[in-house]
């Protein structure tokens, strides 16, 4: 796998913006709804260094990329939220969780709309800007869709816990300490194990790809790019 400096330059900026805005949105909405934990810790910030997890954001994706993994996986440093400090803890937890994916969809929409401004860009930088916009569109939609999987501690898991009746919400919430292990299992280990027996067990990745492609096409239609 040959990765050039140009490839890095058109992926790093969109990725940092997507992660930074996603995490800052969680902290901002939590602050507005009564919990100032993230605000006091400086996590309501557009400084990417505040949100990068050395292992989850850099080392793990790098290892998977270099090992030709069938799925690229990583995570940022979670924004701390004291749900008990929220004005309406259960409902507000849903809004805090939705803030990250919703922000990513808005960023993807902005990237798609910005394609119309490319004719105004200098000729020697137009391709670089176009590649950044394309990657921003893809990264933000992938991040939004992935985070809406109904598995705690992903945002979709938090939304599910907030909306489901107690009889279902409580056992789901107890999965949170094992959420990352479950994700690695179903996204990486299970498909690799299935391939050894000639079985396609990569169901979740297929669902994610289909959902991502559908949302990207919808955003391109909405912004007049199709």
């Amino acid at each position: 796998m040959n990765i050039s400096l140009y490839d890095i330059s058109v992926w790093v900026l969109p990725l940092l913006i997507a992660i930074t805005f996603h995490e800052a949105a969680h902290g901002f909405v939590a602050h507005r709804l009564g919990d100032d934990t993230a605000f006091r810790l400086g996590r309501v910030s557009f400084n990417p260094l505040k949100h990068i997890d050395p292992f989850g954001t850099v080392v793990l994706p790098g290892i998977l990329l270099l090992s030709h993994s069938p799925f690229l996986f990583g995570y940022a440093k979670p924004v701390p939220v004291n749900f008990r400090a929220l004005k309406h803890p259960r409902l507000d937890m849903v809004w805090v969780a939705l803030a990250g994916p919703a922000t990513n969809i808005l960023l993807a929409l902005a990237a798609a709309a910005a394609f119309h401004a490319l004719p105004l860009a200098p000729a020697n930088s137009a391709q670089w800007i176009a590649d950044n916009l394309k990657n921003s569109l893809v990264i933000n939609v992938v991040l939004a869709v992935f985070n809406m999987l109904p598995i705690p501690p992903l945002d979709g898991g938090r939304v599910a816990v907030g909306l489901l009746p107690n009889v279902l919400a409580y056992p789901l919430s107890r999965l949170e300490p094992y959420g990352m292990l479950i994700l690695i299992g179903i996204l990486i280990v299970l498909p690799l194990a299935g391939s050894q027996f000639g079985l396609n067990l990569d169901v979740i990745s297929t669902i994610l790809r289909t959902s991502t492609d559908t949302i990207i096409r919808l955003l391109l239609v909405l912004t007049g790019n199709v």
Side-chain angles (χ1 to χ4, degrees):
M1 182 179 293
N2 296 319
I3 302 176
S4 67
L5 289 176
Y6 181 85
D7 293 330
I8 295 174
S9 74
V10 297
W11 280 102
V12 169
L13 184 59
L15 181 60
L16 287 178
I17 292 175
I19 291 173
T20 300
F21 277 66
H22 179 104
E23 297 299 335
H26 285 314
F28 175 77
V29 173
H31 181 58
R32 296 287 294 180
L33 295 177
D35 175 35
D36 66 348
T37 305
F39 184 82
R40 286 187 287 103
L41 294 175
R43 296 297 304 278
V44 185
S45 169
F46 292 133
N47 178 0
L49 296 178
K50 296 283 188 179
H51 308 291
I52 289 175
D53 181 278
F55 180 78
T57 313
V58 181
V59 177
L60 179 58
I63 292 173
L64 295 175
L65 186 64
L66 294 174
S67 64
H68 302 277
S69 168
F71 192 89
L72 193 60
F73 175 70
Y75 54 88
K77 190 187 301 179
V79 167
V81 178
N82 178 9
F83 294 107
R84 293 176 182 174
L86 299 172
K87 298 172 185 175
H88 309 285
R90 188 157 184 176
L91 178 60
D92 289 350
M93 175 175 67
V94 174
W95 294 118
V96 172
L98 286 174
T103 298
N104 288 127
I105 293 298
L106 289 175
L107 287 172
L109 185 65
F115 281 120
H116 294 293
L118 282 175
L120 303 177
N124 60 352
S125 61
Q127 186 59 53
W128 184 83
I129 295 173
D131 287 339
N132 269 276
L133 292 176
K134 178 186 69 176
N135 292 338
S136 179
L137 173 61
V138 172
I139 287 171
N140 278 286
V141 173
V142 168
L143 195 58
V145 171
F146 176 78
N147 272 281
M148 286 308 294
L149 286 173
I151 303 172
L154 294 181
D155 299 325
R158 296 267 172 81
V159 171
V161 169
L163 296 179
L164 288 172
N166 288 335
V167 67
L168 297 175
Y170 181 68
L172 180 61
S173 68
R174 296 191 66 182
L175 293 178
E176 182 156 341
Y178 316 104
M180 286 302 170
L181 291 177
I182 294 171
L183 285 170
I184 292 173
I186 63 176
L187 293 173
I188 299 174
V189 178
L190 192 60
L192 288 175
S195 66
Q196 301 302 311
F197 300 96
L199 300 174
N200 181 12
L201 300 179
D202 197 15
V203 179
I204 299 298
S205 294
T206 302
I207 294 173
L208 289 174
R209 282 193 294 269
T210 302
S211 302
T212 298
D213 290 345
T214 300
I215 293 174
I216 288 175
R217 284 198 299 270
L218 177 60
L219 293 177
L220 290 174
V221 169
L222 289 174
T223 53
N225 286 292
V226 175

